[in-house]
Amino acid sequence: MKDVFHIGGKELTSRLFLGTGKYSSNQMIPSIMEASGAQVVTVAMRRVDTDFEEENILNHIPAHCVIMPNTSGARNAREAVRIARLARAAGCGDWIKIEVISDNRYLLPDNYETIKATETLAAEGFKVFPYMSPDLMVAKELEKAGAAAVMPLGAPIGSNRGLKTKELIRILIEEISLPIIVDAGIGKPSEAAEAMEMGAAAVLVNTAVATARDPVVMARAFGLAVQAGRAAFLAGPGATRRYASASSPLTGFLRED
Amino acid sequence: MSFYQKYLRYRDFDFNEFFNSVTVAEVGRILDKHRLSELDYLALLSPAAEDLLEEIAQRAHRLTVQHFGRTILLYTPMYLANYCVNRCVYCGFAAHNQIKREKLTLEEVEAEARVIAATGLKHILILTGESRHHSPVSYIRDCVKVLKKYFTSISIEIYPLEEAEYGELIAAGVDGLTLYQEVYNEEVYGQLHLAGPKRDYLWRLEAPERACRAGIRTVNVGALLGLHDWRSEAFFTGLHANYLQNRYTDVEVSISPPRMRPHVGGFPPRVVVSDKNLVQYILAFRLFMPRGGITLSTRESATLRDRLLPLGITKMSAGSCTAVGGRVKGEEPVGQFDISDDRDVRAMVSMLYKQGYQPVFKDWQTLD
């Protein structure tokens, strides 16, 4: 069975999205993308420098990749909307990842401002990917506002602490019809696999790859883990049981005839 | 409540007694904590912590890579004017120093901007002395308008302003403020600032907060190392940064640890701050505020800057010049202090890549 990922008007075969921050050189990006198989790459508009060919990160992204510019640095909906428009004007396409952060200590997203920015940008025809703190009511609002997906955090950005918000993400997967893309906090390939097994549509990873001792090998590991987790989800894992099936302490009598 | 109340809480604190009570074991325990208290930070600044410097450095390095990646933001200072009414005993621009006073015309600002922009830099820090007559807010605003054509981020390092004046400059395109308290100890502050508006300790102390209230994006505070006991000054600088971060959560807060450099006035440092002391300060601050920025200027030598890089630095100046119009005027004007690392942008970039760091030229862009 061919597992095509339809999202934001594109058809993808990989469910791993990668970030571009924190690398020791932008020159590494093509080999990271190749090793991981990722087709979507997020880029902070604040870092895009179109005046400087050598250092312009956009020049290092392979042509087949989908660029998902993000609004890193936005402190409210107004700034996020402006950055999104700049991204479109710079030729970065219609995809936009909304990051509205007014907390510089933990970098937790501001859900309220994120909803506002999503409403405005979706109405302007953007494919909006909002980064959010996992909360069911907020996810429903984002769905209503016209988001293309919902991107809950697994743990604070850059923390590499794994799926700390697992139960909340599980609820979003069950209740929201949009693709749920786990963003932020994933520190190990096993955690990416776990998110995919749960039914996440994709995962986005940056710090765990960029700060690994060997980023290229780690990128490959994440690519494999996401494939494995997705395959397991599609295969439908066997049900787990608390008791060995031989023992039915409460209903066993029904079989005694 | 302002940072002054926080300062008063520790003003009469017996730092020596505290330092004498800190043990190496206690420092080791602090290294395992996620979130450090104010006194944990002070313990990391203690002489006892010197025994664990390598362990602290390992942790500081890991935290920095985790939060900032292997990247360093580059910027350069541009001196607009050196007229000054203050008499700060340690400063080359002090009113009583017989130096050539000048300020750049808008054409000269543009000429300097072109030279700097050609190096690829996008973040600029503009400086003036304190003279509301020669370099008023309106002049600075006009300069900002010119600079906006060349740079995507403009920070100011000027005399303290009213909140509304900060708002005016922010509206014109300024997004960052650098303002050093110079010395947090209020008594010593009085001894070193002999005349001029800068004598007003409180007005200066509360200026970064006024800028935060006006909506500034980044704030950089610092104490000039060499004016007073560095351990307590480093402590107050960290407390100041932490205070601002707690109250203004969306502001990017950073510190600088500038050490005194030779200059025209010839004021020798009152306290010698060794390389080891400087390292300890950088490391302790990194553990106290894992996401706080640390700016390292060209006051330090090229060799030392290269070594400090992995310990927690997030921002470095390049191609610096501390004289007014120094980049386009032929003669050798007098700078505020002598710079120690005179590498140009290209040399800094190749050093960073060699050390496995990405030079970041642009990390923000004005949204208007």
Side-chain angles (χ1 to χ4, degrees), chain A residues 22-24 26 45-49 51 55 73 75 79 82 102-107 158-159 211, chain B residues 66 69-70 122 215-217 242 245-246 249-250 252 291 353 356-358 360 362-364 367-368:
Chain A
K22 303 186 178 178
Y23 286 101
S24 58
N26 287 335
M45 274 312 288
R46 69 194 285 180
R47 290 261 169 105
V48 171
D49 188 355
D51 294 342
E55 299 292 336
R75 301 179 294 181
E79 290 184 349
R82 283 195 194 169
S102 53
D103 154 47
N104 202 44
R105 200 183 287 281
Y106 302 99
L107 298 183
S159 67
T211 66
Chain B
Q66 182 191 338
R70 296 178 199 279
K122 286 278 193 275
I216 201 93
R217 291 188 60 84
N242 193 46
Q245 191 67 88
N246 285 343
T249 57
D250 61 352
E252 288 178 16
R291 289 203 41 82
Y353 276 130
Y357 279 77
Q358 178 188 167
V360 172
K362 175 172 173 281
D363 193 38
W364 183 241
L367 293 176
D368 295 308

Side-chain angles (χ1 to χ4, degrees), chain A residues 237-253:
Chain A
T240 52
R241 288 174 182 227
R242 197 178 288 267
Y243 298 99
S245 26
S247 120
S248 308
L250 294 180
T251 57
F253 72 94

Side-chain angles (χ1 to χ4, degrees), chain B residues 10 24-25 30 92 98 124 146 173 183 260 264 284 353 356:
Chain B
Y10 286 101
V24 175
I30 293 168
Q98 300 295 316
I124 193 155
V146 172
V183 58
M260 288 189 66
V264 163
Y353 276 130

Side-chain angles (χ1 to χ4, degrees), chain A residues 37-119:
Chain A
Q39 295 164 299
V40 175
V41 61
T42 185
V43 174
M45 274 312 288
R46 69 194 285 180
R47 290 261 169 105
V48 171
D49 188 355
T50 47
D51 294 342
F52 202 163
E53 287 298 311
E54 257 173 275
E55 299 292 336
N56 184 359
I57 188 160
L58 297 178
N59 293 340
H60 295 276
I61 295 174
H64 71 274
C65 292
V66 180
I67 295 175
M68 178 162 72
N70 69 62
T71 65
S72 161
R75 301 179 294 181
N76 51 48
R78 193 177 47 87
E79 290 184 349
V81 167
R82 283 195 194 169
I83 295 171
R85 290 174 185 154
L86 286 173
R88 188 186 251 174
C92 292
D94 281 338
W95 282 32
I96 187 80
K97 180 185 163 202
I98 311 255
E99 279 182 30
V100 180
I101 291 173
S102 53
D103 154 47
N104 202 44
R105 200 183 287 281
Y106 302 99
L107 298 183
L108 291 173
D110 183 328
N111 280 348
Y112 175 70
E113 293 289 319
T114 300
I115 295 169
K116 286 204 290 183
T118 301
E119 273 168 1

Side-chain angles (χ1 to χ4, degrees), chain B residues 13-66:
Chain B
F13 186 80
D14 191 335
F15 286 97
N16 281 328
E17 191 189 297
F18 177 82
F19 288 143
N20 289 334
S21 74
V22 178
T23 61
V24 175
E26 172 70 5
V27 174
R29 190 187 60 77
I30 293 168
L31 287 185
D32 289 333
K33 290 176 79 168
H34 265 300
R35 184 91 146 85
L36 272 57
S37 69
E38 290 168 355
L39 288 179
D40 290 338
Y41 173 49
L42 187 58
L44 292 183
L45 292 167
S46 71
E50 290 177 14
D51 288 354
L52 288 179
L53 221 49
E54 181 59 30
E55 283 90 331
I56 303 174
Q58 296 287 348
R59 183 154 162 75
H61 172 67
R62 277 199 307 275
L63 279 172
T64 311
V65 170
Q66 182 191 338

Side-chain angles (χ1 to χ4, degrees), chain B residues 83-103:
Chain B
Y83 289 95
C84 197
V85 295
N86 292 317
R87 287 182 55 203
C88 313
V89 299
Y90 51 82
C91 179
F93 285 173
H96 56 269
N97 285 338
Q98 300 295 316
I99 58 164
K100 192 178 167 200
R101 302 285 170 172
E102 52 195 330
K103 83 169 182 186

